[in-house]
Amino acid sequence: MKKLLIALLAVSFVGACSPSVRRIETNVVKDVSGGWNDTDAQMVAQEMITDCLNGGWYTKFLMQKGKEPTVIVGTVNNKTMEHINTDVFIEEMQRALINSGKVNFVASKDERGEIRTERLEQDEFASEETRKAFGREIGADFMLSGVLSSVVDQAGSKAVVFYQVNLKLINIETNQIVWNGQKQIKKFVKRSKVSF
């Protein structure tokens, strides 16, 4: 009887702790914690893309060089107190900029290392007809880099969280900053008291 009671308690405890999961559309805004989320990343990417492509740097480059600019993604530092994967909105920006047909991208530092290793292996193991040559990479004209910062003002169960994203496009040859985009997001978060 004692074993049966322990087994029933264990089953009810496991059942009470299991999560409830429901799929939702990816375009649905759902703030759970009040922290940085996918909606914030998408908002930042959309506004930054528009601002970046409408900047005077783009027209000036086209007139001077007669071709679309090539960009590489540098470092985007997360200086908030949260764990934020900045790759989410950087990848969104990169995808949209490439799909605009106005900007070309080259592989990032990490991606290039993997590709160069593959090229080395092809040099040794691939047939002459399919082997890819060294020294044919395209150099980037600009580097996209930036920082994500936040300020939290909290009292009791209420907080205001302010996020600021600054991205820069830097001319690799001259170190000139040709575009500096900024997006700010402010959230008011009120937590209810949990009673047990």
Side-chain angles (χ1 to χ4, degrees):
M1 182 70 172
K2 190 176 180 181
K3 288 182 181 180
L4 179 61
L5 183 60
I6 291 172
L8 286 173
L9 284 173
V11 168
S12 65
F13 179 74
V14 169
C17 293
S18 64
S20 170
V21 178
R22 175 173 62 92
R23 299 273 182 254
I24 59 175
E25 294 297 320
T26 56
N27 61 349
V28 171
V29 176
K30 198 79 165 161
D31 278 311
V32 177
S33 68
W36 180 270
N37 61 26
D38 62 318
T39 302
D40 300 322
Q42 289 169 0
M43 286 172 55
V44 167
Q46 288 302 319
E47 191 163 314
M48 292 284 196
I49 291 162
T50 302
D51 190 49
C52 182
L53 290 176
N54 290 333
W57 72 273
Y58 180 76
T59 306
K60 187 176 180 181
F61 185 86
L62 281 178
M63 289 174 55
Q64 288 177 347
K65 305 289 185 178
K67 67 177 185 84
E68 289 84 17
T70 300
V71 178
I72 187 168
V73 176
T75 303
V76 177
N77 290 311
N78 173 15
K79 294 200 173 176
T80 70
M81 297 299 284
E82 298 175 46
H83 172 72
I84 298 173
N85 184 350
T86 55
D87 290 345
V88 173
F89 73 91
I90 290 299
E91 288 289 333
E92 176 68 20
M93 279 191 64
Q94 184 176 358
R95 183 193 60 76
L97 288 168
I98 290 170
N99 291 344
S100 75
K102 295 182 174 183
V103 177
N104 299 311
F105 274 84
V106 291
S108 69
K109 183 178 180 180
D110 292 338
E111 293 166 327
R112 280 195 320 265
E114 190 174 5
I115 292 167
R116 288 173 180 162
T117 299
E118 172 61 22
R119 207 176 295 132
L120 277 169
E121 290 181 7
Q122 282 189 13
D123 204 34
E124 187 173 344
F125 300 111
S127 67
E128 191 69 41
E129 308 84 53
T130 61
R131 186 177 302 150
K132 304 304 176 267
F134 282 92
R136 312 262 341 246
E137 294 180 21
I138 295 173
D141 302 301
F142 300 96
M143 179 177 281
L144 181 68
S145 63
V147 63
L148 171 57
S149 306
S150 68
V151 176
V152 179
D153 181 18
Q154 183 170 358
S157 62
K158 298 177 184 174
V160 175
V161 184
F162 174 79
Y163 295 101
Q164 181 168 302
V165 180
N166 284 84
L167 294 177
K168 296 178 181 179
L169 202 58
I170 303 168
N171 184 310
I172 291 178
E173 190 170 36
T174 65
N175 284 335
Q176 178 186 13
I177 299 171
V178 297
W179 172 76
N180 189 339
Q182 183 181 86
K183 173 67 177 164
Q184 298 173 338
I185 296 172
K186 190 181 250 187
K187 296 182 177 187
F188 175 70
V189 182
K190 185 176 179 184
R191 300 194 195 299
S192 59
K193 294 181 180 176
V194 179
S195 58
F196 293 96

